[in-house]
Amino acid sequence: MALSVSSLASAFSHLSLPSTSAPHPLPLLRLHPTTRRAARLVLSASGADAAEPVEAEAPAADDGPEEVLAVEAEEDALSGLALRKYVKQRLPGGFAAQRITATGRRKMASARVVLQEGTGKVFINFRDAKEYLQANPMWVEYCKIPLVTLGFENNYDVFVKVQGGGLSGQAQAICLGVARALLKISPANRVPLRSEGLLTRDTRVVERKKAGLRKARKRPQFSKR
C-alpha cells in the first residue's frame, strides 16, 4: 500500500525537536524504499538538513611500476658508485701501477688483469663479474679456471679492464690474462697451467667476407638459366 506525501507530513507534524539540539535524520534503515523516499521529501520540505554521508578516503595507491623502476635504478647507481670507489681504493695509481698484471686477448677482446691477495672476488670494468657477464655460469667460470686449476680460487681477487668483442670473447681473454698473471707469482705454476692449455693464445677469428659471396664461404643460389 503506497503512502502519500501529505499523510507522512501529518504523521511527522506532531514531532517536536528541541531547539538546542541540531536536527538529525530519523532512522529510516528499516523502512520500505517508497516510504524512505517520501520521508526524505518531507524532511527537505520542512527545512531539515540531512546529514551528508562521509565518504571514506580511498587508500593511497601504491607506486606505479615506473616509480619502482626509478627507485631501483637509483639504488643500482649508488651501489655502482660505491663499487667503483672500492675498486679504485684497491688499485692506487690505476691498473698500470700494480705489481701483478697481465694482458689476455681473444678475437677482438683485450683484457688487462690485476691480481691481488683477497677472497676470490672478480671485478670487471668496476662491476661485479656476475653482473657484467649477465650471470652466465660458463662465462663466469672462464674467469676462474686458472685459479681453480691451482687451488687459488679463494686466495686472490681479480680486477679486470676489458674492451672490444663480445662477452664470450672477453671472458676467454680474461682467462688467458689471469693465467699469465699467475706466472708472475711463481714460475712453478707454468706446468699445471700449460698442461690444461690455459697459456695458449687462441688465434681463431671470424673469417673475412669475400667479394661476390654472401659471407665468408656462402654463395648465392646458382641458377643455370
Side-chain angles (χ1 to χ4, degrees):
M1 177 178 179
L3 298 177
S4 62
V5 176
S6 59
S7 61
L8 285 174
S10 60
F12 289 115
S13 60
H14 69 280
L15 296 176
S16 61
L17 298 175
S19 58
T20 56
S21 61
H24 57 84
L26 297 176
L28 303 175
L29 296 178
R30 296 184 179 180
L31 297 178
H32 191 272
T34 306
T35 308
R36 194 182 307 135
R37 193 179 306 111
R40 289 199 191 98
L41 293 175
V42 172
L43 292 176
S44 61
S46 61
D49 298 332
E52 297 181 357
V54 179
E55 296 182 359
E57 295 183 358
D62 296 335
D63 295 338
E66 294 81 3
E67 297 180 0
V68 174
L69 292 177
V71 172
E72 293 179 354
E74 184 177 358
E75 293 177 354
D76 293 342
L78 292 176
S79 62
L81 292 176
L83 188 58
R84 176 180 288 269
K85 184 177 180 180
Y86 169 76
V87 173
K88 288 185 176 181
Q89 289 177 352
R90 293 286 303 273
L91 302 176
F95 281 76
Q98 306 308 310
R99 185 174 62 88
I100 306 175
T101 63
T103 302
R105 294 183 177 86
R106 174 74 173 97
K107 297 182 181 179
M108 299 298 293
S110 177
R112 187 75 176 270
V113 178
V114 173
L115 292 185
Q116 286 188 359
E117 293 184 358
T119 58
K121 299 178 182 178
V122 181
F123 302 97
I124 304 176
N125 290 351
F126 303 100
R127 295 166 60 185
D128 182 71
K130 188 174 182 180
E131 176 192 355
Y132 183 85
L133 297 175
Q134 301 178 358
N136 188 306
M138 183 175 63
W139 295 342
V140 175
E141 189 66 22
Y142 274 145
C143 304
K144 299 181 179 180
I145 286 178
L147 296 174
V148 174
T149 301
L150 299 176
F152 294 159
E153 60 270 18
N154 296 325
N155 297 346
Y156 291 95
D157 290 341
V158 182
F159 300 89
V160 184
K161 182 183 291 184
V162 64
Q163 60 183 359
L167 294 179
S168 177
Q170 289 181 357
Q172 296 178 53
I174 294 171
C175 177
L176 179 60
V178 172
R180 289 177 174 177
L182 289 172
L183 290 181
K184 295 185 177 181
I185 296 177
S186 174
N189 296 332
R190 178 179 296 274
V191 175
L193 293 175
R194 177 68 68 182
S195 63
E196 295 294 333
L198 299 176
L199 296 176
T200 303
R201 164 74 158 95
D202 192 348
T203 58
R204 295 176 298 172
V205 295
V206 176
E207 188 176 351
R208 77 170 195 84
K209 181 184 179 302
K210 276 70 171 190
L213 303 184
R214 296 288 179 84
K215 295 170 63 176
R217 301 189 182 186
K218 182 179 180 180
R219 297 176 177 273
Q221 182 177 2
F222 173 74
S223 178
K224 192 169 185 178
R225 294 178 180 85

